[in-house]
Amino acid sequence: MPNWSPLTRHPSNPIIAPKDMPVECSAVFNSAAVRYNGKVLLLLRVEDYQRKVNFHVATSDDGVKFDVNPTPIRYPLRDVEKQYNSLRFDMRITPLDGTFYVCHAIWMTGLGCSFGMAKTDDFVDFEAVGGVALPSNRNAVLFPERIGGRYCLMQRPFDNSGGKIWVSYSPDLRYWGDSLPLDIPTTVWNYSKMGAGATPIRTPEGWLIIYHATAQTCSALNYYLSVALLDLDDPRKVRTACSKFILQPEEVYECVGQVPNVVFTCGAVEMDDKTLNVYYAGADSVMCLAQTTVRDLVDFCLKNPL
Ligand code: BMA
């Protein structure tokens, strides 16, 4: 069967399922990914049999077989998060200024969804950075460089009318402003809920982003992944958005699970041989891997402009 996409699913998919976990687990999905000490490190979103979320570090030499730490990470809770019985999910990791920043969504009971940030040098000790963003917001992803001297962040404010990726700047990772929405036109498959996925990758053609978006179908929302290239000097400007998706839910593990028909990424890492490993979740239930190269994603985007 021809593969029309620049991504190839790994034959070991799903690479991490609840049955592979060393702890009670009903779903393992939407995990951040980064290179750390020569290995691939994932911060796994792990749900137990009460759907409580913990984050576990998993490491791998080949990016396919992972050792999962059975002890979850300890993560700092702000007072407002304690007060509103919060739940964190969907981390993204950005290496920047010699440390690692983690952005994550925060569900606060009675307030809605927001996001926050923390930093770590070793994935053992985490320190909160700044406060929580105003609801309704999520899918925060920090750029891996300062741009024009300022930090740069993608986020996805949402009010049920659509939802675009916004890009904002900050002098200090605390106060964000000069925000603009990315002008990625909506089509049938990226009709709503556009949100940043993996940490942006610098390429000569622009910042390569891999993002998710949803299509409204007769039964529900289907999640897709696609790519766009943003201006290197001001990522609020879209250079090229891809007219096609690069991944759709079609395998059983993407179509059947706690939320059917979802492919969702929170991280991609480049391996030593230049393979780009895109870690994504199937149906909010299992972790999967699809492979490509940065070059192939950029070419696919440029050949299929929106
Ligand atoms: C989004 C988030 C993700 C989830 C996705 C699909 O709104 O909640 O955590 O993977 O929906 O259910």
Side-chain angles (χ1 to χ4, degrees), residues 33-52:
V34 75
R35 292 299 299 265
Y36 178 65
N37 285 345
K39 295 180 182 255
V40 178
L41 182 147
L42 303 181
L43 264 181
L44 304 176
R45 170 179 173 179
V46 180
E47 290 185 357
D48 67 13
Y49 269 62
Q50 298 177 71
R51 291 198 68 194
K52 286 191 181 144

Side-chain angles (χ1 to χ4, degrees), residues 10 15-16 34-42 57-68 269-275 277 279 289 291:
H10 197 278
I15 57 164
I16 311 176
V34 75
R35 292 299 299 265
Y36 178 65
N37 285 345
K39 295 180 182 255
V40 178
L41 182 147
L42 303 181
V57 169
T59 53
S60 168
D61 289 320
D62 65 2
V64 181
K65 291 193 188 68
F66 282 87
D67 294 321
V68 181
V269 300
E270 196 170 40
M271 304 301 285
D272 292 342
D273 68 356
K274 297 288 176 205
T275 301
N277 279 357
Y279 294 95
L289 170 62
Q291 296 177 307

Side-chain angles (χ1 to χ4, degrees), residues 8-172:
T8 304
R9 288 175 176 83
H10 197 278
S12 305
N13 273 354
I15 57 164
I16 311 176
K19 68 176 172 42
D20 307 317
M21 294 293 292
V23 293
E24 179 182 297
C25 174
S26 61
V28 48
F29 61 114
N30 293 8
S31 306
V34 75
R35 292 299 299 265
Y36 178 65
N37 285 345
K39 295 180 182 255
V40 178
L41 182 147
L42 303 181
L43 264 181
L44 304 176
R45 170 179 173 179
V46 180
E47 290 185 357
D48 67 13
Y49 269 62
Q50 298 177 71
R51 291 198 68 194
K52 286 191 181 144
V53 178
N54 271 314
F55 292 90
H56 289 253
V57 169
T59 53
S60 168
D61 289 320
D62 65 2
V64 181
K65 291 193 188 68
F66 282 87
D67 294 321
V68 181
N69 187 334
T71 308
I73 61 168
R74 277 176 290 111
Y75 208 74
L77 269 175
R78 299 167 183 86
D79 289 345
V80 65
E81 295 179 70
K82 287 184 201 148
Q83 189 182 346
Y84 289 94
N85 188 23
S86 71
L87 179 149
R88 276 84 164 278
F89 57 98
D90 295 1
M91 296 195 163
R92 274 83 167 190
I93 303 169
T94 299
L96 176 63
D97 294 343
T99 188
F100 296 95
Y101 289 94
V102 179
C103 299
H104 51 86
I106 307 172
W107 177 262
M108 291 175 291
T109 308
L111 296 181
C113 197
S114 168
F115 68 80
M117 216 182 270
K119 68 175 178 179
T120 182
D121 291 330
D122 54 13
F123 296 95
V124 176
D125 293 315
F126 292 80
E127 180 192 329
V129 175
V132 298
L134 289 175
S136 292
N137 207 333
R138 61 179 71 183
N139 295 310
V141 184
L142 188 64
F143 280 73
E145 291 175 27
R146 294 184 204 213
I147 298 170
R150 294 190 291 175
Y151 297 98
C152 191
L153 181 81
M154 290 183 282
Q155 49 185 300
R156 211 285 308 282
F158 186 60
D159 71 347
N160 281 323
S161 63
K164 290 261 192 192
I165 300 167
W166 287 67
V167 176
S168 308
Y169 287 107
S170 171
D172 56 6

